[in-house]
Amino acid sequence: MKTLQNYFDAKNVSPDLQKLIFSLLWAGANFYELTLFHYDFQNFYADTTNKSGDRQLKIDVAANDVFVGLLKENDVSLIASEELAEPMKGKSGGKYAVAFDPLDGSSIVDADMSVGSIVGVYEGDSVIGRKGSEQVAALAFVYGPQFTFFITVGQGTLAGVYRPENYPDDIAEEKRHDQFYVSNENVTLTEDGKYFAPGNLRAAASESWYMKTLQEWIKAGSTLRYSGGMVPDIGHIFIKGGGIFLYPGTAQKPDGKLRLLYECAPFAFLVEQAGGKAITQKGDRILDITVEFPHQTTSIFLGSKNDVEKIIGKIKS
Ligand code: AFP
């Protein structure tokens, strides 16, 4: 397998963006190997809540600390984490603003289900007033049986895997990055998928279009693949080459619960670069939505192009 370094060299990715991406990967690998794998889930909840009102788990805080620690060593002007009430200043004059969810799926991690991290990278020193289309990179890490990752720098979406066992003890420090391999350098989604990941299923009770769509998928013999973890659920679509993930809103909460800045915009970039589509329940392109405030949420339908477009047709009919 080609290494991620080989991919970056072939795509002429700038050295400072490479350095930032490897730092993010090491934050994920360190969290995965040194914290998550040994975590004592009896000691589960922190006594704080994040801005979105979620009860914050100590594991969320631990993940956040690992990412913030490594980002502070980089050319990063602004650090915007789902676990921080407001974005925090990084290095003055730093080239990049980084928005991330350090641990997505923390309500299922105690059941040892796959979880992940999600990152969006912008040039400049702000994220408010920006659109997802301004991201220069997006990353998603899956902490599952293995540590796999999906990355785009705007030249397609790659899938990769972390292979520490291939790391000889005497490897030179600068060669450590060679433990990150590329398993597919051009993830491509078919226009019609065979899998569906129906988030916020409770909405089907009040949204007739949703109940009808579910029945049609079942009748068509599509396969349900939903875990409650956005990262593995969308990672499944990347690895299988097609499918649809949705997290709709309802009349009471039209913008659903998934965060635009930390979750939806990075995944929309990754999915579009894989030939898919990512829109809101109104049919607006996720990457065209302006971030008005850090914890803004949006409904989201993403994945195989025709699957996404068919749903919007149903909602509007
Ligand atoms: P947690 O991080 O609180 O576990 O939430 C995970 C998540 O934001 C996203 O990963 C899932 O797709 C979604 O929530 C699942 O939401 P439901 O529990 O309402 O299905």
Side-chain angles (χ1 to χ4, degrees):
M1 272 191 287
K2 183 183 279 195
T3 65
L4 184 58
Q5 187 63 62
N6 299 145
Y7 176 89
F8 284 157
D9 295 344
K11 300 282 185 184
N12 297 314
V13 177
S14 70
D16 47 10
L17 185 55
Q18 286 188 36
K19 180 177 181 300
L20 176 59
I21 289 174
F22 277 120
S23 284
L24 288 161
L25 281 164
W26 282 117
N30 292 346
F31 172 68
Y32 181 65
E33 281 185 315
L34 307 178
T35 304
L36 195 54
F37 193 70
H38 309 275
Y39 198 74
D40 166 10
F41 284 102
Q42 305 314 311
N43 172 26
F44 200 55
Y45 282 102
D47 54 0
T48 53
T49 57
N50 63 20
K51 182 85 174 174
S52 306
D54 294 342
R55 232 178 135 191
Q56 215 166 28
L57 311 183
K58 287 191 174 133
I59 189 84
D60 283 318
V61 177
N64 187 62
D65 292 351
V66 173
F67 276 84
V68 170
L70 274 170
L71 284 173
K72 281 183 173 172
E73 293 168 15
N74 271 271
D75 200 14
V76 173
S77 58
L78 188 81
I79 297 171
S81 166
E82 186 190 305
E83 297 308 327
L84 298 174
E86 296 298 330
M88 65 186 281
K89 289 237 178 296
K91 186 173 145 193
S92 148
K95 182 169 181 182
Y96 298 105
V98 180
F100 61 102
D101 180 358
L103 182 62
D104 184 84
S106 46
S107 63
I108 58 174
V109 70
D110 62 327
D112 200 26
M113 291 175 74
S114 295
V115 292
S117 303
I118 312 165
V119 188
V121 179
Y122 299 76
E123 284 187 345
D125 58 3
S126 67
V127 289
I128 303 306
R130 311 293 291 270
K131 293 179 179 176
S133 55
E134 297 177 59
Q135 293 173 109
V136 293
L139 306 88
F141 305 158
V142 183
Y143 309 126
Q146 297 187 337
F147 173 8
T148 52
F149 49 87
F150 303 97
I151 297 175
T152 183
V153 291
Q155 302 181 58
T157 290
L158 70 87
V161 63
Y162 170 55
R163 285 260 185 274
E165 76 274 11
N166 294 350
Y167 180 25
D169 294 343
D170 60 350
I171 193 170
E173 182 60 23
E174 66 278 4
K175 294 294 284 175
R176 287 181 70 231
H177 296 343
D178 288 351
Q179 302 172 89
F180 297 108
Y181 292 87
V182 176
S183 47
N184 179 356
E185 63 179 283
N186 191 24
V187 173
T188 305
L189 303 188
T190 53
E191 297 212 335
D192 300 280
K194 300 195 300 277
Y195 300 97
F196 63 104
N200 200 10
L201 203 54
R202 59 190 77 76
S206 59
E207 307 290 318
S208 59
W209 65 266
Y210 200 359
M211 191 64 87
K212 251 190 286 176
T213 303
L214 289 164
Q215 287 163 351
E216 283 173 16
W217 281 331
I218 293 165
K219 283 180 195 145
S222 291
T223 300
L224 171 71
R225 283 291 178 270
Y226 187 76
S227 72
M230 184 181 197
V231 181
D233 289 343
I234 298 174
H236 182 275
I237 290 173
F238 288 141
I239 296 296
K240 300 299 185 183
I244 183 167
F245 170 92
L246 57 152
Y247 201 97
T250 57
Q252 296 72 26
K253 281 189 79 180
D255 293 327
K257 87 164 193 177
L258 298 184
R259 289 77 170 184
L260 172 61
L261 180 60
Y262 306 114
E263 295 163 323
C264 298
F267 266 122
F269 189 18
L270 286 160
V271 164
E272 285 200 0
Q273 286 292 312
K277 199 172 175 96
I279 56 176
T280 68
Q281 203 152 328
K282 294 195 194 96
D284 301 324
R285 182 181 179 233
I286 294 281
L287 293 182
D288 289 341
I289 303 174
T290 300
V291 178
E292 310 287 352
F293 55 95
H295 297 273
Q296 180 175 341
T297 61
T298 177
S299 55
I300 184 165
F301 299 67
L302 64 72
S304 293
K305 205 174 275 192
N306 292 347
D307 293 359
V308 171
E309 284 166 357
K310 268 186 228 160
I311 287 199
I312 293 305
K314 281 196 188 52
I315 295 174
K316 291 186 169 163
S317 60

